[in-house]
Amino acid sequence: MNSSISEKAMGSYYSNVFSKDYPSTHRLPPAKQLETISELTNALKQIQTQVDTIYQDVAYLRNHSAQSTSKALQTSQSNLGGYSPSVRLAFRIVKWFFLFLIGFAVISVFSATLGGEQFFKPLLSLLEPMLVPVVIVTFCTVAVVVIFESLK
């Protein structure tokens, strides 16, 4: 939007109409009203043009990012393509196991910091019997995959 339009249309109009010096019934002369309306209409058309341009840019960026994301996924899948499905399964199991441990560590730190130990202790007592079998299954899966792949 041009500064001349904003100064002329917005500045003078709002300063005259919304000024505390004038009563609320103050009106601009009809000629000035038409001029101001035409300036505001032109400003609105310019804003609409800018909005349309922004929508086009957003649509382009969405399409472009979707294409680059699909290319990145294809690249990452082709990099993992050298591994057998059992190795990929073992990687996923280990990844989720470590994400679980990290989440559990974060929860324990927050509960200790914020004084929520009375909530954390029952949670720990519930998860403790399940944690040992999960650790055993995770490392056994990794060991089986390592042995299986080394025999190939």
Side-chain angles (χ1 to χ4, degrees), residues 108-124:
S108 64
V109 168
F110 277 136
S111 68
T113 305
L114 300 175
E117 294 168 357
Q118 67 272 12
F119 298 113
F120 181 70
K121 287 182 182 181
L123 180 65
L124 183 61

Side-chain angles (χ1 to χ4, degrees), residues 58-120:
V58 167
Y60 172 77
L61 290 174
R62 282 185 182 163
N63 291 336
H64 182 66
S65 68
Q67 291 171 356
S68 64
T69 303
S70 65
K71 287 179 184 177
L73 287 176
Q74 289 172 355
T75 304
S76 67
Q77 288 174 353
S78 66
N79 290 342
L80 286 177
Y83 297 114
S84 68
S86 59
V87 172
R88 283 188 261 164
L89 175 67
F91 284 155
R92 284 187 187 141
I93 290 173
V94 170
K95 175 183 79 171
W96 286 108
F97 174 70
F98 282 123
L99 285 174
F100 170 76
L101 287 180
I102 290 170
F104 196 72
V106 168
I107 288 173
S108 64
V109 168
F110 277 136
S111 68
T113 305
L114 300 175
E117 294 168 357
Q118 67 272 12
F119 298 113
F120 181 70

